[in-house]
Amino acid sequence: QVPLVESGGGLVQAGGSLRLSCAGSRIIFSIDNMMGWYRQAPGKQRELVASIDSGSNTNYANSVKGRFTISRDNAKNTLYLQMNSLKPEDTAVYYCNSYSYGINYWGKGTLVTVSS
């Protein structure tokens, strides 16, 4: 069983919006943890886009501040990333992550392609 499953990626024009979702097990969303969205563009290292802790405190990469919003719904066992004003440089595979007590869980990723 895959612990985290992303969805919502796709092709969008520059300036458009997408909402990514990450569904996980009840255990992941019930423990004290840090969850985040990472992305990896072709030929580049994976980078942190946004994170949110169990208290819903958030942190964003400078490149997405003011455009992306991370949120979590523990009752639905789901993590979200609302992406607005998308740019071609946002094109990447986006991964969902959960970190708690030294254990990392990753999803398989969802591809976001932003055309100019």
Side-chain angles (χ1 to χ4, degrees):
Q1 183 179 1
V2 179
L4 296 168
V5 180
E6 303 94 338
S7 61
L11 175 63
V12 63
Q13 287 188 332
S17 298
L18 281 176
R19 187 194 197 199
L20 304 184
S21 298
C22 172
S25 67
R26 184 172 58 180
I27 291 176
I28 287 177
F29 282 86
S30 65
I31 59 175
D32 187 21
N33 65 2
M34 178 72 76
M35 298 196 74
W37 288 96
Y38 289 72
R39 68 185 181 188
Q40 187 167 17
K44 295 188 177 181
Q45 289 188 331
R46 190 173 297 189
E47 63 175 356
L48 177 65
V49 175
S51 63
I52 184 169
D53 65 17
S54 297
S56 293
N57 299 298
T58 59
N59 185 50
Y60 296 91
N62 287 333
S63 59
V64 307
K65 279 181 181 177
R67 300 189 298 122
F68 291 10
T69 302
I70 188 172
S71 61
R72 60 192 290 170
D73 187 335
N74 293 333
K76 294 183 178 180
N77 303 326
T78 305
L79 179 73
Y80 301 100
L81 185 68
Q82 177 66 44
M83 306 186 295
N84 299 328
S85 302
L86 283 161
K87 305 175 181 180
E89 51 263 43
D90 295 318
T91 295
V93 177
Y94 285 71
Y95 298 90
C96 175
N97 171 267
S98 171
Y99 177 79
S100 180
Y101 302 109
I103 299 174
N104 264 306
Y105 292 106
W106 291 94
K108 292 186 177 182
T110 185
L111 177 63
V112 172
T113 303
V114 184
S115 63
S116 57

